[in-house]
Amino acid sequence: MIYDRSNIFARILRGEIPCKKVYEDPYALAFHDINPQAPTHILVIPKGPFCSFADFSAQATEQEITGFIRAVGLVARQAGLDDSGYRLLANHGPDSHQEVPHFHVHIAGGRPLGKMLA
Ligand code: 5GP
């Protein structure tokens, strides 16, 4: 899959459209989901042009992967979710219903989330 530079998260990364930013470092940007599914629903995206987890896991450098994973953990911790718990979710491809073709991890928490894929 070829990366689409016009996707909405690429535009957020370029500052062309706003987001409610919660964290940024050289590897990741985190912001609130525009349509939250839980009291806390944050999206964390890598800075590089990766379409999905499949692309990121295969193509990103070790530094990019480490930096991104550490950012996800830090954002969840800073959101106060370490003790109550949270769910990480990343969609890839049609069966997952991935809507935005820039790799992103959802962090959801702030209430009991029920069983996975309920
Ligand atoms: P996906 O289904 O691709 O895993 O999730 C895409 C997520 O991006 C959805 O939860 C959706 O609400 C969120 N989203 C879509 N467009 C925007 C936007 O312009 N700003 C923000 N903050 N979130 C968005």
Side-chain angles (χ1 to χ4, degrees):
M1 186 175 178
I2 295 168
Y3 183 77
D4 170 13
R5 291 188 77 257
S6 67
N7 80 75
I8 200 92
F9 293 169
R11 298 185 63 202
I12 286 175
L13 273 173
R14 291 196 296 269
E16 293 169 7
I17 57 171
C19 69
K20 286 189 183 170
K21 181 162 81 175
V22 297
Y23 178 79
E24 183 169 16
D25 70 17
Y27 304 104
L29 175 69
F31 49 90
H32 291 286
D33 196 292
I34 204 167
N35 183 23
Q37 305 296 309
T40 300
H41 186 173
I42 297 170
L43 302 171
V44 191
I45 69 175
K47 292 263 173 104
F50 301 103
C51 300
S52 73
F53 180 76
D55 188 16
F56 184 72
S57 60
Q59 305 296 337
T61 65
E62 291 183 14
Q63 204 172 16
E64 286 173 317
I65 292 171
T66 303
F68 180 76
I69 293 295
R70 287 208 192 282
V72 172
L74 189 61
V75 168
R77 194 167 310 126
Q78 287 182 349
L81 297 175
D82 266 4
D83 290 341
S84 54
Y86 55 89
R87 180 169 295 156
L88 301 181
L89 190 149
N91 291 316
H92 162 71
D95 276 358
S96 76
H97 202 69
Q98 181 181 0
E99 288 178 357
V100 180
H102 181 110
F103 173 46
H104 50 283
V105 167
H106 299 252
I107 302 174
R111 65 165 167 80
L113 295 169
K115 287 188 177 179
M116 212 170 75
L117 304 180

